[in-house]
Structures are given as C-alpha cells and as structure tokens.
Amino acid sequence: MLAALLPYTVRWLTLSSTAYLLPLHITLAGSAAAIFLGTWLFRSITTYPGAEASSYILPVFSVAYGVLAMAFIVARLDYNIPLLVAGYFISLAWFFWLVAILRGRQALRIGVVAMVDGQQLPSVRGIHWIAIATPACGFDGLDAVTTDLRQDLPDEWDRKLTDLALAGVPVYHFKHLAESLTGRVELEHLSENSFGSLSPVSAYMSIKHAADWVAALVCGILFLPALLIIAVAIKFSSPGPVLFRQTRVGYRGQRFTVFKFRTMRITPPGEADGRTLAMTQTDDQRIYPLGRFLRTSRLDELPQIINVLRGEMSWIGPRPEAEVLSEWYEREIPFYRYRHIVRPGIAGWAQVCQGHVVEVEDVRSKLHYDFYYIKNYSLWLDLLIAMKTVRIMVTGHGSK
C-alpha cells in the first residue's frame, strides 16, 4: 500500500516545491531588472553635479518597481508579493546608504575656462573651482570642466574642449551648471526651456492637470475626517470663520479665491491697510497657538484641495500671491508675471528651497527659484518637490 502511494507522494511534493519556488525565482529576476532600471534612471537624472541625489532615490525606484508590478499583472505571472515589497525597501535603504557615504566623501574639482566678464562662480559646498588660463594647462585631477559654450571660443579652446569630451571628461555650459548647483536661474532676461520655448511642455501640463484632479478627489475623500476634526478644533480655539478666503493671482494672471484653514485672529476693520494684512511677518502676533501648528505642519493648506478640483491650482507649482502683493511685485520686479505661465501650487520649488518671504528683495530672490521650476518643468522636479515637502512638513522649515 505504502509502496503504491510513494510515487504519487513524490510527484505531489515535487509539484508543490516547483509551484512554490517558481514565483520566488520570477520575483527575484524581476527585482534584479527593477534595480537595474532604477539605477539607470538614477544615473540619467543625476548627470549634473549638485542634484540632490538622495531626493531622487524614492521616485526612481518607485517608478522602476511600479513598472515591474504592472509587467507581472499584464503578463499574469505568479510572483511573491512579500518578496517584491522587501526588495523594494531593501533597494531604497541600500541606495540611501550608498549616496550618503559617497556624498560625505565627494569633493568635486571643476575647471573654469574662458569665462566672460560679469559671470560669478557660485559658492557651493563640496565644489572647488579651478581656474584654467590656457589650453596648455594641466587638466589632470578634474572631475569636470565648465565654460560659456555660447560665446565664440578660440580654435585652440574648441579643440581642447572637444578632446576632453572625447576623453570622457564632462564639459558643462556654465549657466546650466550654475543652475543645477544652486537650483536658481538669473533674471537678467527671460530664459527659454530646453525645448527653446518660453512655454512649458503642453503635453505634460495636460497630463499633470488631469492627475492633479484625480489625486485631489481621492485625497479629499481620504482626508475628510481629518478636515472635519481640524475645523472643529479651529472653531473652539479662536473666534471667527473656519476657512480663510483671499483673492490671489493664478494661472495666466486670472484672479481666484484661495481657501485655507484660518490660522490668524481676525483683524478689526481699519486697523491696517490691505498690503500689511496680506503680509505674514516672522513671529506674527496675529497667529494663535493652533494656527501656528497648522502653519508649521502645512495642514492649513489642505482646503486648497477645493482649488485643485476647481482647476485653479495644482499640487505642485509656484505659490500664488495675494492680489494686492502680486500687483506690488509686478510694479517693482521685471518679468514677475511670467511665473503665472503655469498653474500655482500648494507646494513649490521656492517654498522648499527658501521658505515664505514677502519683501520685494526677498521675492526677487524667490523668483530665481520659480523661474528654475518653470524652465525645468517636469515630472522629476515635481517628485523632488513632493519629497522635500514631506520633509519640511516634519521640520517646519520656512513657515511663519
């Protein structure tokens, strides 16, 4: 009897083992492919020095593993979900550790050649600028070379820069390198994007607008209990309406009403002019205790989900200014209106890099960041801003 059952028992164990191991093998192979894809994407978008590599790790590996998961689903392959999730988090941890180690040891030596008058070298931690006077100077030990590639260089410099590029030494246009290192663009004149236009890529703008609406609808439903709790807390903490409404300037210069949780006490009529009321100063005495927490954590911005659903705002973009402030800045700062070429956002590049500012000179500096965002308008930059926004929600950086 046992002898008769033995072949069937061995066959069942073999099939069970195969059925169990095959998904593991498929998952391991897929994870290896996702790591390769993530590494390739990571290297592709961190070509220029100065890119905050650690901020790119989460988006690129999320994309890589997302593609892998979609491939498994479309191909109807059996895969091991716990192993796939573990591979994702192990990849993230490994690359975060690797980038942290390399960043701590990295000190780039960049040669500066044939610079035109008026260009200044930005002071950036970890960058050593080496002046190169002639093509005959030594280029050994340099990690990269930069110059103004748009000026007419002497023939000997053209030959030398070509030889360096062929030898694998990165040769950067100074303006683009400085923008990458600082995250800012200069405002001497309007600057075209990489496609040679003042307008952002319309295809991405349309896709982003649709994705914003879907995300706002989902978040509005998920956050509804939290929104109600905050509203009740505001009602008991300070007299006045729960929501703060203000006219701001948005996409293509159109006026709209922005919604926020009220974080300040109500100012009696006539106590201050419109511009003063619109400006939030450091340690502003109008902010009540719960309001300060809401501003620091950025939870006061959540009602702007309504503005996103109405198509007036995006999740990511230059922050919209109050109408009275925007009109003031337009009179004082050239090209200020250009920031309205894209939809304003709940979070923005200037906010995560500089924080909240109101004075004209500070806003002029803020525009450097806004123009950098518009010039480099892309999914990757939006993901980077999203990662930075999560960080400052925890730290409270830049709030007033």
Side-chain angles (χ1 to χ4, degrees):
M1 181 70 175
L2 291 176
L5 291 176
L6 184 60
Y8 296 100
T9 304
V10 171
R11 182 182 178 187
W12 178 81
L13 289 174
T14 302
L15 290 175
S16 297
S17 176
T18 302
Y20 177 75
L21 291 176
L22 185 59
L24 293 181
H25 293 159
I26 292 175
T27 306
L28 287 173
S31 295
I35 292 173
F36 176 81
L37 176 61
T39 303
W40 178 78
L41 288 173
F42 181 74
R43 290 175 61 87
S44 297
I45 65 176
T46 55
T47 301
Y48 272 76
E52 296 188 32
S54 59
S55 299
Y56 286 99
I57 294 174
L58 181 59
V60 298
F61 279 94
S62 297
V63 169
Y65 272 86
V67 170
L68 175 63
M70 289 299 297
F72 283 158
I73 294 172
V74 171
R76 297 185 178 181
L77 296 175
D78 290 330
Y79 61 97
N80 188 287
I81 296 179
L83 183 60
L84 185 67
V85 174
Y88 170 70
F89 284 106
I90 291 173
S91 299
L92 291 179
W94 168 256
F95 267 80
F96 272 114
W97 177 83
L98 185 63
V99 169
I101 294 296
L102 294 177
R103 184 171 53 190
R105 298 176 179 177
Q106 187 180 41
L108 297 178
R109 291 167 52 86
I110 301 179
V112 184
V113 301
M115 302 303 298
V116 298
D117 294 337
Q119 290 183 331
Q120 297 181 348
L121 300 174
S123 178
V124 181
R125 182 173 174 266
I127 302 295
H128 300 295
W129 303 104
I130 311 298
I132 306 296
T134 68
C137 293
F139 287 80
D140 295 337
L142 295 180
D143 297 289
V145 173
T146 184
T147 187
D148 187 349
L149 295 175
R150 294 181 181 176
Q151 68 171 321
D152 292 328
L153 297 173
D155 291 344
E156 58 270 21
W157 270 120
D158 283 335
R159 294 190 186 96
K160 186 61 180 180
L161 294 176
T162 300
D163 290 341
L164 289 171
L166 293 174
V169 178
V171 178
Y172 299 120
H173 177 51
F174 176 76
K175 180 182 177 183
H176 291 169
L177 177 61
E179 290 175 4
S180 176
L181 291 171
T182 62
R184 297 156 51 100
V185 298
E186 298 304 319
L187 300 179
E188 284 78 12
H189 53 80
L190 291 175
S191 181
E192 77 283 0
N193 57 29
S194 57
F195 294 95
S197 171
L198 287 180
S199 301
V201 181
S202 58
Y204 176 62
M205 184 179 289
S206 300
I207 294 172
K208 180 183 177 183
H209 184 45
D212 282 337
W213 192 90
V214 173
L217 181 63
V218 173
C219 289
I221 296 172
L222 294 178
F223 294 162
L224 184 59
L227 293 170
L228 294 175
I229 292 173
I230 294 174
V232 172
I234 292 174
K235 202 65 179 175
F236 281 98
S237 298
S238 173
V242 170
L243 292 180
F244 169 76
R245 296 174 175 84
Q246 187 180 59
T247 301
R248 298 197 178 185
V249 181
Y251 184 47
R252 295 181 175 175
Q254 297 176 352
R255 271 59 175 170
F256 71 100
T257 300
V258 74
F259 299 95
K260 298 177 63 175
F261 281 126
R262 183 177 57 82
T263 58
M264 293 184 176
R265 298 180 178 90
I266 301 299
T267 303
E271 187 171 306
D273 60 77
R275 183 189 298 180
T276 302
L277 288 174
M279 298 170 66
T280 304
Q281 304 295 339
T282 303
D283 297 324
D284 199 310
Q285 297 302 311
R286 296 174 295 172
I287 303 175
Y288 61 92
L290 176 61
R292 189 165 300 282
F293 166 75
L294 294 175
R295 296 176 75 93
T296 301
S297 62
R298 304 304 198 274
L299 293 176
D300 63 319
E301 310 285 359
L302 283 179
Q304 289 167 47
I305 290 175
I306 299 172
N307 294 112
V308 178
L309 289 172
R310 291 166 61 169
E312 299 162 336
M313 292 182 64
S314 169
W315 285 97
I316 306 293
R319 285 293 296 157
E321 295 287 0
E323 182 179 26
V324 62
L325 293 180
S326 184
E327 291 174 351
W328 177 34
Y329 299 148
E330 287 178 20
R331 291 193 299 267
E332 300 292 334
I333 304 174
F335 317 127
Y336 180 83
R337 285 177 55 82
Y338 180 59
R339 72 194 302 269
H340 301 145
I341 196 71
V342 296
R343 281 184 177 81
I346 297 177
W349 181 242
Q351 274 60 45
V352 299
C353 292
Q354 184 184 29
H356 178 77
V357 296
V358 292
E359 297 298 339
V360 170
E361 287 308 311
D362 295 329
V363 171
R364 192 186 302 274
S365 175
K366 173 184 173 181
L367 272 185
H368 290 269
Y369 294 105
D370 285 338
F371 280 29
Y372 179 87
Y373 174 77
I374 295 170
K375 181 177 180 179
N376 298 278
Y377 191 70
S378 64
L379 172 62
W380 302 118
L381 187 54
D382 282 347
L383 290 174
L384 177 57
I385 294 171
M387 297 300 104
K388 282 176 167 286
T389 300
V390 173
R391 185 185 67 186
I392 65 174
M393 287 178 68
V394 177
T395 63
H397 167 75
S399 63
K400 287 190 176 181

